[in-house]
Amino acid sequence: MAMIEIDGLAKSFGPVAAVRGVTLSVDKGEVLGFLGPNGAGKSTTMKMLTGFLTPSEGAARICGHDVQSDPLPAQRLLGYLPEGAPAYGDMTPRGFLAFCAGVRGLTGEAARSAIERVVTRTELARVLDQPIETLSKGFKRRVGLAQAILHDPPVLVMDEPTDGLDPNQKHVVRELIREMSPQKAIIVSTHILEEVAAICTRAIIIDRGRVVADGPISDGRIVFRTSPENGEAGEVIADARDLDDVFRALTARPAAAA
Amino acid sequence: MLKGVSAVFKRELAAYFATPLATVFLVIFLFAMGAFTFYMGGFFTNGQANLGVFFSFHPWLYLFLIPAISMRLWAEERKSGTIELLLTLPIPLASAVLGKFLAAWAFAGLALALTFPIWITVNYLGHPDNGVILASYIGSWLMAGGYLAIGSAVSAGTGNQVIAFVVSVVISFLFTIAGAPLVIDALSGWMPVELLGTISSFSFLTHFNAIMAGVIDLRDLVFFGTLIAFFLFVTAVLVDLRKAG
């Protein structure tokens, strides 16, 4: 059984269809790169998968638990880094992580060791007692990451985990994801195409609410099954470094339509 | 106990004290209480050993000060995006609603408890009926809970704290004076008497005045209890509606 199952998810905000039938599944050991232009429906899909938004159609399951009808078991198995890594600004990372541990039912020694483990992994020790709102963007993002992996969840969903980080920080986060990947099913959304080649085992491209390409990555090569909106379904084999071209070919709009 | 209530409660209560909000609120609350009681209420000159004047100002102070506590409850989470975190943690929505409300209510209780010097004063000066005073304190706290629950629901309906404050004040005002001539006279011309009776029975003033007389009647407890439960339910519905987009 796949650990993440997304089945025909769709979401409309009034007349605007943000997501139009996304179906995919992610197994243990897979790191799925979520690509797509701004507004393609990446974040909306993630928000539905994690139970923050109610889908207009379709269903999402985490380790077999339906996110809509059975949210708590699903959310217990889930670590989620929302877009922009929101956190309570008036709290310190220590207090914030203690809160997350408490909500997740970790107490006493279990909470203490879990917090210690993620603080080491995300290198937060230096800022542990400063209010989060005073931290740099890189540290804020790492606080969000620490919160997501605090309970060592089998399923991780991260919305742009490296957005706004400097190259060193990006490297640290990518290493972290790579280390964790054998044990987990991970979805990462990103705008940085070379990141996909670096950490993902599979990539999908979402455009206008649909999956337009889906394929595994191995040895720096990617084999996409494509189904662009107005084109023929087909197969594209690309060097992962040329992902840029594939991305543009599949999602670019004619200038007149833009 | 619902899972997660205590974690949310602790976080929320700490949040009041993490910013100057708690200090500013407590200072202004106590100062205003004192000013109203001693100057406008004539506490020293009315020659009575009771706290009637002190408590009679509570509804009017709560009207403006309680929305200042409640406006941030949900609007702030929505603005800062932390609501996405809160609602994807494995706790029932009811726990989040209840934990937040209880923290705000405990904070209001603390503000109320810090008015104890006036209780000491009146006991020093005379021989008041401390049973009545205790009943009034309990009634005042219940009433604060009513205002807070209204504020919680309004805050859940908007991402803007200023709007949350203003709308809360207006709705709270209507509930406060539902039984007063201002409302009743305006409605009595065209509304059936039974409906009029129902509206005036929603008045916070009527129920609080009854408790201030020293009798905690079950009806008044049920009124405030039901009101709080209803508006917390509305809070949960509004938060959930937003999930549907």
Side-chain angles (χ1 to χ4, degrees), chain B residues 38-118:
Chain B
F38 289 106
Y39 292 99
M40 291 175 68
F43 178 68
F44 284 135
T45 51
N46 71 4
Q48 293 173 27
N50 64 43
L51 289 181
V53 283
F54 165 70
F55 284 112
S56 68
F57 286 113
H58 283 203
W60 307 107
L61 266 174
Y62 284 163
L63 190 54
F64 291 98
L65 292 180
I66 294 286
I69 305 181
S70 64
M71 66 181 191
R72 53 167 289 282
L73 281 175
W74 292 95
E76 191 179 44
E77 296 256 4
R78 201 166 287 287
K79 197 88 176 175
S80 66
T82 47
I83 192 157
E84 191 164 353
L85 200 75
L86 185 66
L87 296 183
T88 53
L89 286 170
I91 49 168
L93 179 56
S95 298
V97 171
L98 199 59
K100 277 171 169 289
F101 169 76
L102 290 177
W105 204 16
F107 181 69
L110 173 72
L112 192 57
L114 286 177
T115 62
F116 72 89
I118 197 161

Side-chain angles (χ1 to χ4, degrees), chain A residues 131-153:
Chain A
I132 293 172
E133 63 197 356
T134 67
L135 300 180
S136 69
K137 203 169 179 183
F139 274 119
K140 280 182 188 161
R141 187 81 27 157
R142 278 187 266 170
V143 170
L145 262 175
Q147 163 276 125
I149 62 174
L150 181 67
H151 49 301
D152 198 19

Side-chain angles (χ1 to χ4, degrees), chain A residues 11-13 47 50-54 72 75-76 78 80 82-83 86-88 90-91 96 99-100 102-105 147, chain B residues 3-4 7-8 11-12 15 18-19 77 80-92 240 242-245:
Chain A
K11 179 75 186 172
S12 302
F13 298 101
K47 287 179 198 320
T50 55
F52 178 62
L53 281 179
T54 309
L72 300 187
Q75 288 170 337
R76 266 193 278 275
L78 167 77
Y80 178 36
E83 192 175 13
Y88 296 103
D90 50 46
M91 300 180 100
F96 179 61
F99 163 68
C100 295
V103 165
R104 292 191 176 278
Q147 163 276 125
Chain B
K3 198 177 166 302
V8 173
R11 198 214 76 75
E12 285 290 321
T19 60
E77 296 256 4
S80 66
T82 47
I83 192 157
E84 191 164 353
L85 200 75
L86 185 66
L87 296 183
T88 53
L89 286 170
I91 49 168
D240 205 50
R242 289 261 175 142
K243 284 172 78 171

Side-chain angles (χ1 to χ4, degrees), chain A residues 60-88:
Chain A
R61 280 178 295 277
I62 289 172
C63 301
H65 301 285
D66 189 289
V67 176
Q68 281 308 308
S69 60
D70 199 16
L72 300 187
Q75 288 170 337
R76 266 193 278 275
L77 299 168
L78 167 77
Y80 178 36
L81 174 69
E83 192 175 13
Y88 296 103

Side-chain angles (χ1 to χ4, degrees), chain A residues 148-183:
Chain A
I149 62 174
L150 181 67
H151 49 301
D152 198 19
V155 172
L156 252 184
V157 177
M158 293 179 278
D159 201 347
E160 304 194 353
T162 60
D163 180 47
L165 302 187
D166 69 36
N168 293 328
Q169 295 167 335
K170 278 185 185 147
H171 180 74
V172 170
V173 171
R174 287 174 195 168
E175 282 305 308
L176 187 65
I177 293 171
R178 219 198 312 262
E179 275 169 39
M180 294 186 299
S181 61
Q183 267 61 257

